[in-house]
Amino acid sequence: MQYPSLTWPLSRALLIQILEDRLSDRFVAELIWERLGYQPSADSTSLWSAGPQTPQPWRDAFPSAPPVIAQRPAAVQLTRSIAKEHKQLLKQQLGFAGYRIDQLYPRRTRRAAAVNWLLAWLAQRGDALPAEGPLPQPLDPPLDPVKGHPGDPIVE
């Protein structure tokens, strides 16, 4: 499957920014949407729809790209779509041991699941994870990690 127009190539540095809550939930969602074949609508970049490359289970469950951090059903489907052999990539490739108990919020655990999904996506393609790559301007971690960054959708 070809993905010639991916906006942001994955790198260790980019994935670490996600885990450190330095990028918006929307940005994280767009990384996943592109890789699932969702496409921005011609008249608006805020609405993304399933495209011909979108896997059928995703197209059926989510004809419009779901906020994978904010919506529990989308987060669950994302986690379940990671092949068993790739479930530990977050720990294996990034050395991520998880969050401390005082850092456990649905937003954060879903962000970790999103990073693991992105690592699994690379692994399924047989692509290596480069250490560095282009990075968006990082945000300060949100003052309230439950709510996230300004403009992030409310987590269900």
Side-chain angles (χ1 to χ4, degrees), residues 28-69:
V28 176
E30 287 184 11
L31 289 174
I32 292 167
W33 297 343
E34 285 185 309
R35 288 158 178 85
L36 283 171
Y38 285 93
Q39 302 169 339
S41 63
D43 58 350
S44 168
T45 58
S46 63
L47 179 65
W48 291 50
S49 300
Q53 300 295 328
T54 305
Q56 194 65 47
W58 282 92
R59 193 175 317 141
D60 292 345
F62 305 101
S64 294
V68 292
I69 306 296

Side-chain angles (χ1 to χ4, degrees), residues 44-151:
S44 168
T45 58
S46 63
L47 179 65
W48 291 50
S49 300
Q53 300 295 328
T54 305
Q56 194 65 47
W58 282 92
R59 193 175 317 141
D60 292 345
F62 305 101
S64 294
V68 292
I69 306 296
Q71 285 185 357
R72 186 178 185 283
V76 168
Q77 181 149 335
L78 191 70
T79 300
R80 288 183 179 163
S81 68
I82 300 170
K84 185 177 181 178
E85 64 269 20
H86 300 311
K87 294 280 186 188
Q88 296 299 314
L89 291 178
L90 191 58
K91 187 183 299 183
Q92 294 167 353
Q93 291 189 12
L94 299 181
F96 184 71
Y99 295 108
R100 295 186 325 260
I101 193 74
D102 63 332
Q103 297 175 316
L104 287 176
Y105 304 105
R107 261 191 80 255
R108 288 230 173 113
T109 57
R110 292 174 188 176
R111 290 170 78 82
V115 169
N116 201 56
W117 186 91
L118 291 165
L119 289 167
W121 181 85
L122 280 174
Q124 287 176 327
R125 295 169 47 92
D127 292 345
L129 178 66
E132 300 295 327
L135 296 172
Q137 182 67 39
L139 303 171
D140 289 331
L143 296 175
D144 183 349
V146 173
K147 293 182 180 175
H149 300 280

